[in-house]
């Protein structure tokens, strides 16, 4: 990570675990916090992608969320921040599966435990990094994602996100992976409307190359997409670069998502640098710092 950061001029990175489900082999901040503390001026971290997210999806049915479940979830969340995390993440509402080992996950964004997490985030003054693939209305799963771990039909998600944002206006929600949308509903217009209505909504930007398949891309044929540029100018203080990069030790083998995604880091960083170079200088600084 430091090698890439130094090469591309990145001063500080925020490390966070991916959103996981199940109960075994969960990877979360205790697995990397000691290493990060060796470089306190270069790294911050989020936590909960392992333990909190797995609890959230274990109790996906809202009626299963008892007071005891809420208490255990609260204690685990408070422990994340007490350990030095600057926020919660990556937490998944709707998470489309892209390959074997990359799970499909779904709970509505206004699930009781996400509303509880919003209250905790507001009280502790920390953000929530939320992965929620955007679906305007219930619809069939696109052909390129059909089969495998994904169900035949996807639920509407944007209305549920509005309810989460409305629930506690002091809870800062960072909607992850803007600028590369797998399903086609995370448009600049939709984000602009949500940001106009909800000052607590922020967005992390995942810049991908012009040939990459996701829709609603920041870069179209290597140039800034005009609707995205208008959105950035409209809300310049509500964005952060989120490269969605994975860093795998060189000795790790296999074809799992972490190893496969780690091979794309250099291309992602180059795309981010190109994107920032196309912005007006004052806007680039607001987005990048």
């Amino acid at each position: 990570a430091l090698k890439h950061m130094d090469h591309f001029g990145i001063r500080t990175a925020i490390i966070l675990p991916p959103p996981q489900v199940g109960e075994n082999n969960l990877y979360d901040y205790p697995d990397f916090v000691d290493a990060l503390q060796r470089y306190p001026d270069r790294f911050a971290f989020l936590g909960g992608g392992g333990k909190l997210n797995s609890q959230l999806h274990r109790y996906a049915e809202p009626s299963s969320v008892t007071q005891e479940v809420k208490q255990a979830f609260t204690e685990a969340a408070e422990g994340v921040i007490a350990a030095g995390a600057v926020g919660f993440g990556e937490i998944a509402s709707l998470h489309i599966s892209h390959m074997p080992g990359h799970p499909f996950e779904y709970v509505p964004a206004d699930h009781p435990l996400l509303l509880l997490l919003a209250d905790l985030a507001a009280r502790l003054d920390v953000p929530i990094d939320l992965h929620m693939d955007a679906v305007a209305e219930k619809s069939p799963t696109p052909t390129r994602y059909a089969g495998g771990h994904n169900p035949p039909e996807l639920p509407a998600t944007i209305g549920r996100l509005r309810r989460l944002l409305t629930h506690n206006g002091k809870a800062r929600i960072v909607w992850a992976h803007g600028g590369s949308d797998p399903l086609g509903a995370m448009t600049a217009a939709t984000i602009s409307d949500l940001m106009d209505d909800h000052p607590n909504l922020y967005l992390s930007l995942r810049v991908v190359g012009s040939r990459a398949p996701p829709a609603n891309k920041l870069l179209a044929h290597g140039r800034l997409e005009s609707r995205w540029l208008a959105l950035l100018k409209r809300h310049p203080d509500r964005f952060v670069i989120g490269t969605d990069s994975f860093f795998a030790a060189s000795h790790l083998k296999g074809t799992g998502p972490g190893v496969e995604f780690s091979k794309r880091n250099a291309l992602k960083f180059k795309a981010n640098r190109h994107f920032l170079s196309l912005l007006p200088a004052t806007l680039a600084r607001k987005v990048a710092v």
Side-chain angles (χ1 to χ4, degrees):
L2 283 168
K3 181 179 178 180
H4 278 81
M5 290 164 65
D6 290 341
H7 180 75
F8 288 98
I10 299 169
R11 183 175 62 196
T12 304
I14 300 174
I15 305 298
L16 61 161
Q20 300 148 66
V21 291
E23 300 183 19
N24 300 317
N25 302 316
L26 296 174
Y27 180 79
D28 213 323
Y29 66 93
D31 295 297
F32 55 72
V33 64
D34 289 343
L36 299 187
Q37 287 175 346
R38 296 165 55 195
Y39 308 96
D41 59 333
R42 303 300 302 275
F43 295 106
F45 70 94
L46 305 182
K51 187 170 185 180
L52 291 181
N53 194 72
S54 64
Q55 286 188 38
L56 170 66
H57 289 270
R58 187 179 310 144
Y59 300 101
E61 172 54 52
S63 63
S64 68
V65 181
T66 64
Q67 193 57 42
E68 291 76 14
V69 169
K70 288 183 176 181
Q71 183 61 36
F73 190 83
T74 297
E75 291 174 1
E78 290 175 337
V80 169
I81 306 305
V86 298
F88 300 114
E90 181 177 351
I91 305 298
S93 172
L94 176 62
H95 182 277
I96 294 294
S97 173
H98 292 259
M99 63 176 66
H102 189 252
F104 174 84
E105 306 173 35
Y106 176 67
V107 298
D110 59 350
H111 184 278
L113 290 182
L114 281 176
L115 299 182
L116 173 60
L117 191 62
D119 290 335
L120 290 167
R123 173 166 63 83
L124 297 168
D125 192 24
V126 297
I128 300 170
D129 182 274
L130 180 70
H131 183 124
M132 190 200 79
D133 291 321
V135 182
E137 54 187 47
K138 186 167 65 173
S139 56
T141 299
T143 302
R144 64 188 298 261
Y145 297 115
H149 298 294
N150 296 316
E153 190 173 68
L154 297 176
T157 60
I158 295 172
R160 302 278 194 165
L161 176 61
R162 281 192 179 275
R163 291 173 201 161
L164 173 63
L165 293 164
T166 301
H167 172 74
N168 191 324
K170 294 182 178 180
R172 289 170 286 155
I173 307 299
V174 183
W175 194 3
H177 313 323
S180 60
D181 170 21
L183 300 178
M186 197 177 184
T187 65
T190 295
I191 295 164
S192 183
D193 288 344
L194 286 166
M195 285 187 165
D196 286 349
D197 294 341
H198 302 284
N200 55 330
L201 176 63
Y202 297 78
L203 200 77
S204 70
L205 300 172
R206 178 172 59 188
V207 184
V208 297
S210 59
R211 294 184 180 181
N216 300 314
K217 293 180 288 191
L218 286 165
L219 294 179
H221 306 292
R223 300 180 180 179
L224 281 174
E225 205 284 326
S226 60
R227 288 165 291 189
W228 275 95
L229 180 58
L231 171 59
L232 292 166
K233 289 180 175 179
R234 184 173 179 83
H235 296 289
D237 298 315
R238 309 270 287 279
F239 296 90
V240 63
I241 296 293
T243 64
D244 197 25
S245 297
F246 283 66
F247 294 97
S250 59
H251 66 271
L252 290 179
K253 306 300 179 183
T255 57
V259 172
E260 289 300 307
F261 292 159
S262 70
K263 298 174 183 177
R264 308 174 188 177
N265 289 342
L267 291 175
K268 288 181 180 179
F269 286 124
K270 288 178 181 177
N272 274 278
R273 186 163 63 180
H274 178 58
F275 158 67
L276 290 170
S277 75
L278 298 175
L279 295 178
T282 54
L283 180 57
R285 179 162 291 277
K286 288 191 177 209
V287 172
V289 175

